């Protein structure tokens, strides 16, 4: 057994921070703000586009500018949190996010709007890994950690649906600018609370010199990957720029892995992702998010275009999913996490979500909300909430404190890349099925009303075709979780030491350092 492992066994457990539960409130508030922002702006986009004179060709940049900056800089943000200290990174991230939101709300032209969204992404990339890694280092007792991550998991999973409700309200009853301004009080309260309440444990920083080649390669590689998927959605998979982006991404990320294996102080120590449990979690979470993001998109369109719901009514229609996620995360996941192995929550959780998705393959124009959508969303929420909660916790379990920021950043990166893939891939499948349906059925539609009916039927056919793929993706996510994740229940977990020269496995009675 290595010297590091021996120290891990013999070192006395540090006293938990007395203000940790108060700190959780402010960490959760910040996480809610970041997750809300992913969907709240989507509902405001048509109004903002009209006011600022943004062309149809450029409007995607309101979403893409944020996604590229956030997805591309997450690993760098996680490393900065390890270098500066998570509390400082958290407060700076909140301040910057608030300032960028104020700029977006005050935007007078498209350039100002795109710049504000990119800035939000930059500070979000600093804030998100700092929030998760603070939880990882502050909650060290297995039962307390289960509760804390239950709350965090519910927010991470359900916050997007809350964004749809809030975005609908603000756009319909106030003004689209308030979808940006609403972030400012969130950020101020969270930053002030964090400054006075959070006491980060000593000795957890990684003060090694910054790996500049790693920063450049990972940022460019992730930006190329996210942009490739975003472009594929609008320009097709065979578009020369789309293909070029995927090739560039593969070359850059392969070079990044090579550099990380050689340098003395890597941006992403390979021990973080090669550990079996964490690797399985990053992969299964990313796949689950592919299915989730596609679903949000299709159900929003289905409810508004096919069913004729208003933005506010559409937001409220997602409430059962939020209720399911909160129940799955805080009741099922939290209560069972200290009693059963994480894979026995993650695998069945993804399968329950797949069952909910399977119900949605039966969607038709006249489908009843109460008979079909309500039970489907409840199952989806329950399954995802139950699976997300142990995944978030286990992703930072047993990791060295100096690596907590980058381990947390990898969770966010897998979600961000999964979201980009989900939107592009499932949208492409839906569009192809819709086009094929129209081609087959439009000839028989002689009147205008019949043609409109065929168009709606074609849209629903597209959604259900893509949802079948989402079912398959969730089943694969469940299989990966059940196969790769082999950690025991917290409190007696066997975790491979993340020290490179520690070949032995050590028994760690507490799930975080």
């Amino acid at each position: 057994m290595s010297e590091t492992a021996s120290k891990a066994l013999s070192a006395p457990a540090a006293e938990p921070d007395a203000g940790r539960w108060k700190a959780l409130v402010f960490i959760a508030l910040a996480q809610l703000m970041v997750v809300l922002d992913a969907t709240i702006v989507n509902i405001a986009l048509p109004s903002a586009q009209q006011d600022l004179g943004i062309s149809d060709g450029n409007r995607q940049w309101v979403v893409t500018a944020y996604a590229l900056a956030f997805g591309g800089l997450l690993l760098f943000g996680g490393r900065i949190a390890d270098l500066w200290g998570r509390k400082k990174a958290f407060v700076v991230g909140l301040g910057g996010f608030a300032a960028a939101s104020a700029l977006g709300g005050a935007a007078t032209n498209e350039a100002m709007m795109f710049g504000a969204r990119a800035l939000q992404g930059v500070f979000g990339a600093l804030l998100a890994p700092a929030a998760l890694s603070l939880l990882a280092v502050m909650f060290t007792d297995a039962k307390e950690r289960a509760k804390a991550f239950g709350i965090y998991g519910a927010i991470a999973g359900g916050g997007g649906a809350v964004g749809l409700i809030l975005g609908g309200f603000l756009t319909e009853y106030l003004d689209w600018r308030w979808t940006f301004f609403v972030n400012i009080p969130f950020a101020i309260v969270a930053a002030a609370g964090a400054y006075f309440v959070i006491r980060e444990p000593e000795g957890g920083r990684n003060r090694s010199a910054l790996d500049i080649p790693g920063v450049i390669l990972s940022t460019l590689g992730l930006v190329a990957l996210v942009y490739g998927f975003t472009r594929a959605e609008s320009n097709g998979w065979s578009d020369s720029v789309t293909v070029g982006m995927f090739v560039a991404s593969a070359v850059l990320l392969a070079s990044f892995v090579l550099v990380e294996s050689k340098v003395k102080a890597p941006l992403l120590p390979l021990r973080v992702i090669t550990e079996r449990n964490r690797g399985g979690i990053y992969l299964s979470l990313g796949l689950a998010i592919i299915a989730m993001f596609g679903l949000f998109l299709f159900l929003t369109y289905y409810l508004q275009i096919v069913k004729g719901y208003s933005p506010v009514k559409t937001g409220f229609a997602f409430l059962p999913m939020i209720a399911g996620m909160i129940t799955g995360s805080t009741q099922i996941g939290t209560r069972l996490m200290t009693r059963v192995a994480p894979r026995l929550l993650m695998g069945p959780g993804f399968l329950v979500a797949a069952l909910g998705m399977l119900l949605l393959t039966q969607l038709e124009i006249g489908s009843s909300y109460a008979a079909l959508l309500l039970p489907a969303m409840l199952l989806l929420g329950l399954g995802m909430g139950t699976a997300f909660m142990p995944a978030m916790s286990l992703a930072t379990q047993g990791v060295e404190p100096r690596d907590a920021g980058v381990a947390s950043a990898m969770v966010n990166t897998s979600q961000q890349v999964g979201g980009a893939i989900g939107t592009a891939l499932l949208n492409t499948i839906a569009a192809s099925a819709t086009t094929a349906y129209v081609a087959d059925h439009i000839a028989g539609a002689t009147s205008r009303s019949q043609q409109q009916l065929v168009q709606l039927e074609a849209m629903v056919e597209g959604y259900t075709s893509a949802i079948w793929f989402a079912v398959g993706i969730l089943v694969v996510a469940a299989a990966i979780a059940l196969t790769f994740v082999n950690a025991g229940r917290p409190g007696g977990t066997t975790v491979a030491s993340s020290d490179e020269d520690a070949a032995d496995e050590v028994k760690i009675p507490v799930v975080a350092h």
Side-chain angles (χ1 to χ4, degrees):
M1 189 179 284
S2 72
E3 187 183 340
T4 309
S6 301
K7 284 178 183 174
L9 279 169
S10 59
E15 277 295 309
D17 176 25
R20 61 196 179 283
W21 290 108
K22 289 179 186 172
L24 174 63
V25 173
F26 300 113
I27 293 169
L29 189 63
Q31 175 63 14
L32 179 62
M33 182 185 74
V34 172
V35 177
L36 279 177
D37 210 70
T39 50
I40 195 171
V41 173
N42 289 356
I43 285 185
L45 187 53
S47 307
Q49 181 185 356
Q50 194 174 355
D51 274 11
L52 300 179
I54 301 171
S55 68
D56 284 346
N58 284 343
R59 73 177 169 192
Q60 64 159 340
W61 284 101
V62 176
V63 176
T64 305
Y66 178 83
L68 292 183
F70 187 66
L73 292 170
L74 271 166
L75 281 177
F76 183 40
R79 178 66 181 86
I80 291 293
D82 287 335
L83 181 66
W84 287 357
R86 287 114 206 158
K87 177 178 174 176
K88 183 177 179 182
F90 185 73
V91 173
V92 170
L94 281 166
F97 201 91
S101 298
L103 189 66
T108 53
N109 55 52
E110 63 178 35
M112 196 170 165
M113 169 62 79
F114 300 156
R117 289 291 283 160
L119 264 181
Q120 279 186 316
V122 169
F123 286 104
L126 181 62
L127 175 60
L132 184 54
S133 55
L134 274 171
L135 279 192
V137 299
M138 290 180 78
F139 287 88
T140 53
D141 174 75
K143 286 188 177 177
E144 287 194 347
R145 185 180 173 92
K147 287 179 186 172
F149 275 90
I151 294 165
Y152 185 89
I155 289 169
V162 177
L164 294 171
I165 298 172
L166 193 56
F169 257 110
L170 293 173
T171 305
E172 209 163 309
Y173 298 117
L174 288 172
D175 185 74
W176 66 265
R177 295 182 185 277
W178 281 97
T179 59
F180 286 90
F181 291 145
V182 75
N183 290 328
I184 298 169
F186 273 108
I188 291 170
V189 171
Y195 184 80
F196 291 110
V197 171
I198 290 177
R199 299 285 177 270
E200 190 179 346
E202 291 297 318
R205 290 197 196 179
N206 183 346
R207 299 182 188 274
S208 308
L210 205 56
D211 168 23
I212 300 299
V215 169
I216 294 169
L217 288 169
S218 69
T219 302
L220 291 178
L222 287 169
V223 164
L225 183 64
V226 173
Y227 184 57
F229 280 111
T230 305
R231 190 175 171 89
E233 186 190 347
S234 54
N235 293 66
W237 295 90
S238 57
D239 174 66
S240 58
V241 177
T242 302
V243 174
M245 283 294 157
F246 287 136
V247 172
S249 172
V251 171
L252 287 162
L253 292 176
S255 305
F256 170 66
V257 172
L258 185 65
V259 166
E260 298 310 274
S261 66
K262 305 286 185 191
V263 297
K264 189 178 177 184
L267 172 70
L268 175 64
L270 296 183
R271 61 179 174 264
V272 171
I273 52 172
T274 53
E275 199 277 306
R276 176 175 178 156
N277 290 290
R278 276 190 290 277
I281 278 165
Y282 298 147
L283 196 53
S284 60
L285 262 187
L287 287 169
I289 292 292
I290 289 176
M292 280 292 288
F293 262 66
L295 179 78
F296 273 140
L297 187 73
F298 297 140
L299 279 189
T300 302
Y301 279 124
Y302 174 79
L303 292 169
Q304 290 196 19
I305 296 172
V306 179
K307 291 299 219 183
Y309 284 20
S310 69
V312 172
K313 193 175 178 184
T314 300
F316 275 105
F318 279 97
L319 274 178
M321 191 185 292
I322 301 172
M325 279 185 175
I326 292 170
T327 305
S329 193
T330 62
Q331 299 305 310
I332 301 171
T334 300
R335 289 172 189 273
L336 294 181
M337 190 181 155
T338 54
R339 299 177 191 177
V340 300
R343 69 178 179 276
L344 299 180
L345 289 173
M346 290 178 64
F350 288 138
L351 289 175
V352 168
L355 183 61
M357 200 75 83
L358 189 63
L359 287 178
L360 290 173
T361 60
Q362 306 306 306
L363 267 186
E364 295 174 355
I365 289 179
S367 291
S368 160
Y369 177 83
L372 182 66
L373 278 92
L374 179 65
M377 286 202 268
L378 275 172
L379 285 171
L380 269 161
L382 273 173
M384 287 297 195
T386 302
F388 272 31
M389 186 259 150
M392 294 282 185
S393 178
L394 192 58
T396 50
Q397 174 181 311
V399 75
E400 295 180 23
R402 63 189 172 130
D403 295 335
V406 287
S408 302
M410 275 302 298
V411 176
N412 289 285
T413 302
S414 67
Q415 290 178 304
Q416 188 63 26
V417 172
I421 295 170
T423 306
L425 179 65
L426 296 181
N427 226 2
T428 306
I429 293 164
S432 301
T434 298
T435 304
Y437 188 93
V438 170
D440 289 344
H441 295 81
I442 200 71
T446 51
S447 67
R448 184 173 175 79
S449 61
Q450 285 176 327
Q451 288 172 354
Q452 286 176 336
L453 183 64
V454 168
Q455 292 284 355
L456 288 177
E457 285 172 344
M459 284 175 71
V460 175
E461 174 70 19
Y463 302 155
T464 54
S465 300
I467 288 168
W468 272 111
F469 276 85
V471 172
I473 289 167
L474 281 172
V475 171
V476 172
I480 289 169
L482 289 166
T483 308
F484 280 73
V485 179
N486 66 349
R489 64 182 179 80
T493 306
T494 302
V495 182
S497 169
S498 59
D499 223 31
E500 286 169 316
D501 59 357
D504 298 325
E505 288 191 325
V506 294
K507 276 278 192 185
I508 300 179
V510 175
V511 292
H513 296 267

